[in-house]
Amino acid sequence: MREYKFRGISIETLVGDDQWLYGFGVHEVAYVEGRKEYWLNTESGTYMVDPETVGQYTGKKDEEKNEIFDGDKLYAPGNLDADLQYVGTVEWDDNDNRWEVASFHGRFEYIPDGCFVRGSRWDNPDLLEGGYE
């Protein structure tokens, strides 16, 4: 059975600004005061999160057993040169109905084995600037 987990950055001072929250469901509230609200259900309650940061768990873990979520930045070893490390962002592909990793040089068709989570597009937006190491 597949696990459905979500995460998002809290925008409530009650929890703490810029704090990642993890939960089991997200629901959208109709536009309130001209903006869309997203609420994340967690074990300790329901909290408002930044809609841009909401991501779903892919069902996969990296080499260090970290769960991989939509929006995570992954490092993966190069297939021709083990010293070359590629970096890309996990995204859902609506056309192929699967999780893929987008990078500056194209798309991996899957989340590669041997990869490592190194932040997210929100925590480390500059990781993709160089494309690879």
Side-chain angles (χ1 to χ4, degrees), residues 59-129:
K60 297 191 174 264
K61 295 184 179 183
D62 72 358
E63 284 294 301
E64 298 170 335
K65 306 297 184 223
N66 297 308
E67 294 176 335
I68 300 174
F69 283 83
D70 181 21
D72 277 345
K73 301 283 187 177
L74 300 182
Y75 277 98
N79 58 352
L80 299 176
D81 181 352
D83 292 331
L84 186 62
Q85 294 280 317
Y86 293 100
V87 67
T89 305
V90 177
E91 297 177 351
W92 179 255
D93 185 326
D94 283 329
N95 293 326
D96 293 330
N97 292 315
R98 64 180 176 200
W99 295 105
E100 294 183 351
V101 181
S103 68
F104 84 102
H105 58 77
R107 297 182 78 82
F108 298 110
E109 293 182 358
Y110 53 87
I111 296 173
D113 292 332
C115 65
F116 298 88
V117 173
R118 292 295 180 253
S120 72
R121 74 175 69 171
W122 304 279
D123 298 329
N124 307 93
D126 59 328
L127 274 181
L128 275 182
E129 288 179 5

Side-chain angles (χ1 to χ4, degrees), residues 6-10 15 19-23 40 42 47-49:
F6 297 87
R7 71 171 182 195
I9 294 178
S10 168
V15 178
Q19 178 181 345
W20 283 106
L21 297 174
Y22 295 83
L40 179 66
T42 71
Y47 302 96
M48 191 182 339
V49 292

